[in-house]
Amino acid sequence: MVIRIFDNQDEAGLYAASLAERAIMGAAHPVLGLATGSTVIPFYRELVRLVQCGLDLSHITTINLDEYIGLPPHHEQSYHAFMKRHLFSRVNIPESQVFIPDGSVPDLAAECGRYDEIIREYPIDLQILGIGVNGHIGFNEPDDLLVSRTHVVELSEETIRSNSRFFADVSEVPTRAITMGVQAILQARQIVLMAFGEEKAHIVAKAIRGEVRTDIPASILQLHRDVIFVLDKGSAKELSLAKDA
């Protein structure tokens, strides 16, 4: 486990983008696992800047973690739209090499199976993660048992409240999502988890320093052989750096 603490989100985003560049340059056909949410926007901004400086993304494949159920891909708050807005419309990744779950299909079980086949076909070299205030990664919410494969999840009230800032009203927030399972996340060659702000400090400390528990899904990352936590000073506030692994 590696922990890196930065003065601000821009510096953290640049560091995460440099890790992605290393993964991209280190493989003939690199696969990036991607996340959404405000935390990863600095990462995408810096990755776009690297492309503007000459980094070629035409040979990479991307696999997103999750998508809301009930929002069509063109909905402004769908994760399809988020990714297009912050990355895909600004770089040269062919559309045929971009994969995001479709939460608008009638057969969700078939969609989950389709997505697991994609993950098997394209092993992930670098997985980017955020962390929810309740410790979720992807939309793997705290539970008695974490599901290993792509699945439909009922979003917790805490997650719905947190995500309501992106909608006009909390009643508009979808209550279900499709998410990649924890097995696929842990099978990534390298994992980069990003977290910013004092409101994430308590859960970050639990994820890094606490016991590995299913009610804190991010704590399972302690079992991974190559995970990097990219934090700002606020999110690292409750860590004791003397205990760094």
Side-chain angles (χ1 to χ4, degrees):
M1 178 188 297
V2 174
I3 301 169
R4 294 290 179 262
I5 302 169
F6 296 88
D7 288 334
N8 56 62
Q9 297 181 21
D10 290 338
E11 291 180 2
L14 177 59
Y15 175 70
S18 72
L19 295 174
E21 180 180 34
R22 185 173 67 183
I24 291 165
M25 299 295 290
H29 301 286
V31 179
L32 300 187
L34 300 180
T36 54
S38 56
T39 297
V40 294
I41 289 175
F43 162 70
Y44 291 131
R45 184 167 57 242
E46 295 301 330
L47 187 59
V48 168
R49 190 171 298 173
L50 288 175
V51 170
Q52 293 169 344
C53 293
L55 178 64
D56 181 19
L57 301 187
S58 64
H59 62 306
I60 79 168
T61 296
T62 67
I63 302 177
N64 264 72
L65 284 165
D66 43 32
E67 177 60 285
Y68 288 121
I69 290 173
L71 296 187
H74 62 268
H75 190 285
E76 66 176 356
Q77 294 303 333
S78 74
Y79 290 157
H80 282 75
F82 177 97
M83 292 304 305
K84 183 177 181 179
R85 185 162 58 247
H86 292 288
L87 184 65
F88 297 144
S89 66
R90 306 173 68 188
V91 298
N92 61 332
I93 306 173
E95 188 174 344
S96 62
Q97 293 161 209
V98 169
F99 299 101
I100 306 175
D102 189 344
S104 65
V105 297
D107 191 339
L108 295 173
E111 177 63 7
C112 290
R114 181 189 76 88
Y115 215 65
D116 280 332
E117 287 298 323
I118 291 168
I119 294 167
R120 278 191 286 271
E121 184 177 355
Y122 299 100
I124 296 171
D125 294 298
L126 177 69
Q127 177 67 60
I128 300 293
L129 295 176
I131 181 172
V133 292
N134 62 0
H136 73 227
I137 47 176
F139 271 134
N140 292 282
E141 298 279 28
D143 206 340
D144 293 334
L145 181 67
L146 295 179
V147 181
S148 61
R149 297 190 176 193
T150 304
H151 59 285
V152 172
V153 62
E154 299 286 337
L155 301 181
S156 70
E157 290 185 10
E158 197 169 16
T159 296
I160 292 171
R161 285 197 305 272
S162 178
N163 289 356
S164 66
R165 68 190 187 276
F166 301 114
F167 294 81
D169 187 82
V170 68
S171 63
E172 297 180 6
V173 184
T175 59
R176 296 193 301 162
I178 295 178
T179 186
M180 186 188 296
V182 294
Q183 182 181 39
I185 293 173
L186 290 177
Q187 286 178 340
R189 182 175 59 83
Q190 185 178 58
I191 295 173
V192 175
L193 184 144
M194 303 176 69
F196 304 134
E198 291 188 12
E199 69 276 9
K200 297 287 181 72
H202 187 62
I203 199 63
V204 164
K206 281 191 171 184
I208 295 176
R209 301 296 183 218
E211 297 177 355
V212 176
R213 297 164 43 170
T214 60
D215 62 346
I216 305 176
S219 67
I220 201 168
L221 299 179
Q222 295 179 35
L223 306 178
H224 194 270
R225 64 188 179 279
D226 189 357
V227 58
I228 302 172
F229 288 86
V230 178
L231 312 173
D232 67 354
K233 290 182 177 179
S235 62
K237 190 174 182 179
E238 296 188 24
L239 288 177
S240 171
L241 296 183
K243 297 179 181 178
D244 272 359

